[in-house]
Amino acid sequence: MSPRAGTMRLACMFSSILLFGAAGLLLFISLQDPTELAPHPAPGIKFSIRPQQPHNDLPPGSSQDGPFKAATERVTRDLSSRAPRGLSLRMSQDPQAQLNVGARLRPRQRRRRLLIKKMPAAAALPANSSARTLVRPAPGALDGRWASLRETQRERKRVMREACAKYRASSSRRAVTPRHVSRIFVEDRHRVLYCEVPKAGCSNWKRVLMVLAGLASSTADIPHDAVHYGSALKRLDTFDRQGILHRLSTYTKMLFVREPFERLVSAFRDKFEHPNSYYHPVFGKAILARYRANASREALRTGSGVRFPEFVQYLLDVHRPVGMDIHWDHVSRLCSPCLIDYDFVGKFESMEDDANFFLSLIHAPRNLTFPRFKDRHSEEARTTARITRQYFAQLSAPQRQRTYDFYYTDYLAFNYSKPFADLY
């Protein structure tokens, strides 16, 4: 074979290879899911593919984000039949917007069905997504104050989602376990889930739930022991997996939070400045033995007389001699707000407005309002910002900073300001 003929043969082979590769590439592109070619959001950051025109008439506390929320319009009819009483699903009134959303969702339908089949049962129905939105208050109640509260709810949820995306990006991918819902109380008649945050009005909220459930006619009739030591209210972790997931996806989920330093001081005053048959022997003895030099024999015997700086030393000690307690644990650990998408986030500082607004949203009886009475030590003033500063004045600047760092995620997620100017 001549050199020229060999060169032409190699050129023909190279051209054939290029044509074959191009044909394969075209075939691959034609079979590829178009959505796979779109940029994906960062892990844990949720995004919406709703029409860009916002629904200004969405009710307060409605949940607009979550892994499967973008498909709400597509499955409204199926979900409406099992939406909780008093709650409704909403669709855009613009037919073209509905058509656009449907067209954007179709390419992923087959892939989503395959994913759901492959997912574990506990994750098949994500807990951080409710399948409905809250209905608005009755006509006539939508005055300027109600509209302001509705906007406040949107802002609180936005801040919480952003904090979760920044610091808990992997949480939304975890499956819910009974531990995550162990502080959540269930009221089935009005389909309410309430996550208990101690020292943030939890005693009175449980009284309200008991009245809603028909277990009492008035919050004033329910004593402290019945609230905390009775079994009238069920916890969510007492249900089986199906019962947990069903309630997480269809009930109204709410929690109330409090400024972290105030909550800490309130817990200290309640548990260590008054006789207590549990916290003194269990926590007090251990704290005094570890952090008080030359503690008296009587103090070590009873566990009474713990001072606030000693309590903070215990709190900040990674090798603390006795474990954590729900009264001063982080809200992020108690209620898992980065895993469970709460529909309503209330604050202790605006309790009356937030509580009455929430009760109107779930269509509670009109004569039921949040009780104002102090559950324990009623003769003692409530813990305020002024009282909190007095207690924290007993700490050094580094101790205040470390305590702020300890509760930083709660400060960030619930948009509380730094309580002292020298904190960073």
Side-chain angles (χ1 to χ4, degrees), residues 172-192:
S172 62
R173 299 184 175 187
R174 300 204 313 263
V176 170
T177 67
R179 183 189 69 79
H180 293 121
V181 298
S182 63
R183 307 309 313 173
I184 295 181
F185 288 86
V186 179
E187 200 286 286
D188 284 314
R189 288 177 64 180
H190 293 78
R191 300 196 174 198
V192 171

Side-chain angles (χ1 to χ4, degrees), residues 326-401:
I326 60 171
H327 291 84
W328 46 82
D329 205 351
H330 312 81
V331 176
S332 56
R333 281 170 50 93
L334 295 172
C335 297
S336 301
C338 293
L339 181 62
I340 298 171
D341 188 14
Y342 286 90
D343 301 295
F344 193 94
V345 180
K347 289 192 172 184
F348 184 86
E349 294 76 15
S350 53
M351 178 64 80
E352 185 173 359
D353 282 346
D354 288 350
N356 291 331
F357 185 41
F358 176 78
L359 291 173
S360 74
L361 293 176
I362 63 169
H363 300 290
R366 288 185 177 272
N367 63 346
L368 176 61
T369 58
F370 189 80
R372 289 182 160 187
F373 59 82
K374 198 168 183 282
D375 189 52
R376 286 158 61 89
H377 317 305
S378 57
E379 74 288 349
E380 188 176 76
R382 291 184 184 274
T383 302
T384 61
R386 181 184 62 82
I387 291 176
T388 299
R389 293 185 71 87
Q390 291 174 356
Y391 277 79
F392 271 84
Q394 303 173 35
L395 306 181
S396 65
Q399 282 180 313
R400 288 198 299 269
Q401 180 64 52

Side-chain angles (χ1 to χ4, degrees), residues 105-386:
L105 288 171
R106 287 188 197 103
R108 294 203 70 144
Q109 289 178 352
R110 178 181 299 175
R111 181 171 180 270
R112 180 165 290 173
R113 284 196 297 268
L114 292 174
L115 282 174
I116 293 175
K117 286 181 180 179
K118 293 178 181 179
M119 289 168 68
L125 184 60
N128 60 347
S129 174
S130 290
R132 80 291 176 271
T133 58
L134 289 171
V135 72
R136 70 182 66 181
L142 287 174
D143 55 13
R145 183 58 182 159
W146 247 225
S148 174
L149 290 170
R150 183 173 63 238
E151 184 58 35
T152 296
Q153 282 299 310
R154 288 198 185 102
E155 178 64 13
R156 287 175 184 172
K157 293 185 64 183
R158 181 192 66 79
V159 170
M160 189 170 68
R161 287 195 300 268
E162 288 183 357
C164 289
K166 186 174 183 180
Y167 291 98
R168 296 285 188 272
S170 63
S171 293
S172 62
R173 299 184 175 187
R174 300 204 313 263
V176 170
T177 67
R179 183 189 69 79
H180 293 121
V181 298
S182 63
R183 307 309 313 173
I184 295 181
F185 288 86
V186 179
E187 200 286 286
D188 284 314
R189 288 177 64 180
H190 293 78
R191 300 196 174 198
V192 171
L193 298 180
Y194 164 63
C195 185
E196 174 191 37
V197 177
K199 313 312 298 179
C202 69
S203 298
N204 282 336
W205 265 118
K206 286 193 278 189
R207 287 186 172 94
V208 169
L209 294 183
M210 292 172 74
V211 173
L212 288 173
L215 301 173
S217 59
S218 169
T219 55
D221 299 334
I222 308 173
H224 175 85
D225 287 354
V227 171
H228 290 285
Y229 306 119
S231 57
L233 292 175
K234 292 183 179 179
R235 295 179 189 265
L236 188 54
D237 64 348
T238 62
F239 294 87
D240 61 18
R241 183 179 64 187
Q242 183 178 358
I244 291 174
L245 294 177
H246 168 71
R247 286 168 175 80
L248 283 173
S249 64
T250 60
Y251 282 26
T252 304
K253 303 178 290 295
M254 67 100 164
L255 79 162
F256 271 71
V257 298
R258 186 176 185 177
E259 202 282 334
F261 277 15
E262 282 189 26
R263 178 170 166 253
L264 180 67
V265 171
S266 177
F268 174 79
R269 295 176 71 200
D270 180 26
K271 305 306 179 187
F272 295 101
E273 292 188 348
H274 300 276
N276 192 295
S277 61
Y278 173 74
Y279 284 91
H280 289 190
V282 174
F283 288 86
K285 286 183 179 181
I287 290 172
L288 292 172
R290 173 72 69 89
Y291 306 109
R292 180 178 295 182
N294 303 317
S296 69
R297 187 172 300 177
E298 179 66 12
L300 294 175
R301 184 184 68 83
T302 63
S304 301
V306 172
R307 300 170 188 139
F308 187 65
E310 295 167 338
F311 173 67
V312 170
Q313 279 186 282
Y314 143 79
L315 181 73
L316 302 177
D317 190 347
V318 295
H319 302 294
R320 59 179 70 95
V322 62
M324 279 295 291
D325 182 81
I326 60 171
H327 291 84
W328 46 82
D329 205 351
H330 312 81
V331 176
S332 56
R333 281 170 50 93
L334 295 172
C335 297
S336 301
C338 293
L339 181 62
I340 298 171
D341 188 14
Y342 286 90
D343 301 295
F344 193 94
V345 180
K347 289 192 172 184
F348 184 86
E349 294 76 15
S350 53
M351 178 64 80
E352 185 173 359
D353 282 346
D354 288 350
N356 291 331
F357 185 41
F358 176 78
L359 291 173
S360 74
L361 293 176
I362 63 169
H363 300 290
R366 288 185 177 272
N367 63 346
L368 176 61
T369 58
F370 189 80
R372 289 182 160 187
F373 59 82
K374 198 168 183 282
D375 189 52
R376 286 158 61 89
H377 317 305
S378 57
E379 74 288 349
E380 188 176 76
R382 291 184 184 274
T383 302
T384 61
R386 181 184 62 82

